[in-house]
Amino acid sequence: MKYNTDINIVGGIPDFHLIYQAYPLLVEGKGEEAFKSLVTENEYELRTEKSRKRFLSVVQSAFITDSKEINELAKVMLNYFSFDEKSQALILFWLFSINNHLFYRITRDVFLKSYFQGRAELPADDVLAYIKDLFQNDEELKGKWSENTIKTVASKYLTLMKKLYLVEGSRRKTFCFVRISDELLALFIHFYSLRANKSYNFLEDDFSVFSFVPKENLLERVKKVGKKNWVNMNYTGNALNVEGVFNP
């Protein structure tokens, strides 16, 4: 898997309303329109044209997935949750997790592990140590990033998670409680079922923890969503197969 520093750029975006505006235009293939609004007219006062072009490039890289179905669904749901910024932010969190392997790994192995252990804080040192270990001990990655790059990515990761309403605080980051409604869980299942390389058993797939639903409650929550006919599910007693039913 390739690793990049998109975390740095996304974490540095001053106003995520920029993303909510640009995303549907990029999904619809209206890059020129997005360029005109966000780059030429500089609607959000990004400081330089170079930074504005880089912003559009990173939105494409970070949030536009290889799945047209995921992109179309995300576009529809960002609009649906237009008056619920925390839900919009969660959609971005899921898109970035699908699209960026480094963000996925840090979130799975550090953030969510600590979250489900019931810890109150996410120490910056935990994130830094994880990335250092990854780039110093993996033979394919060893020496590819400088110490300064690794420190910057660790810092921007925490900044990004704060902008996504998943942690709060300045110097010490504490976890925010994430409430997943039935609608959001149904959306998550749709994203899951449209991903490449998904497991047949939803309960055992690593991506299932990104739902923020504890594993011991996940089956009952999925059954509840299934009864509303928002997703299809089949539970055999040891494996749960799920798929979305909405075609944007």
Side-chain angles (χ1 to χ4, degrees), residues 40-54:
T40 306
E41 296 176 3
N42 194 17
E43 184 174 335
Y44 283 85
E45 299 183 354
L46 293 174
R47 285 180 294 179
T48 66
E49 183 172 332
K50 182 178 180 180
S51 68
R52 299 193 289 272
K53 289 179 178 177
R54 185 173 63 174

Side-chain angles (χ1 to χ4, degrees), residues 177-192:
F177 174 73
V178 181
R179 179 184 175 276
I180 299 296
S181 65
D182 289 345
E183 289 174 307
L184 284 171
L185 181 57
L187 174 59
F188 178 81
I189 291 171
H190 277 73
F191 283 163
Y192 164 82

Side-chain angles (χ1 to χ4, degrees), residues 95-156:
L95 290 173
F96 201 26
S97 299
I98 290 168
N99 229 29
N100 188 284
H101 193 57
L102 180 59
F103 183 77
Y104 176 90
R105 289 192 62 171
I106 299 170
T107 303
R108 180 194 64 188
D109 296 340
V110 183
F111 177 85
L112 287 169
K113 183 177 180 180
S114 297
Y115 179 88
F116 282 113
Q117 286 175 345
R119 295 174 61 178
E121 296 182 6
L122 178 63
D125 287 347
D126 286 8
V127 179
L128 179 59
Y130 179 83
I131 303 173
K132 276 187 175 181
D133 182 73
L134 183 64
F135 277 84
Q136 291 174 358
N137 296 321
D138 189 308
E139 289 300 324
E140 294 184 8
L141 299 174
K142 188 180 295 184
K144 289 194 173 182
W145 282 9
S146 68
E147 181 85 8
N148 186 58
T149 298
I150 291 172
K151 287 182 178 178
T152 302
V153 170
S155 174
K156 287 295 185 181

Side-chain angles (χ1 to χ4, degrees), residues 155-188:
S155 174
K156 287 295 185 181
Y157 177 86
L158 293 170
T159 300
L160 172 56
M161 297 302 268
K162 184 175 181 179
K163 291 180 177 181
L164 292 172
Y165 302 103
L166 298 174
V167 297
E168 58 188 1
S170 299
R171 298 191 63 178
R172 298 170 65 179
K173 297 295 189 291
T174 58
F175 289 101
C176 297
F177 174 73
V178 181
R179 179 184 175 276
I180 299 296
S181 65
D182 289 345
E183 289 174 307
L184 284 171
L185 181 57
L187 174 59
F188 178 81

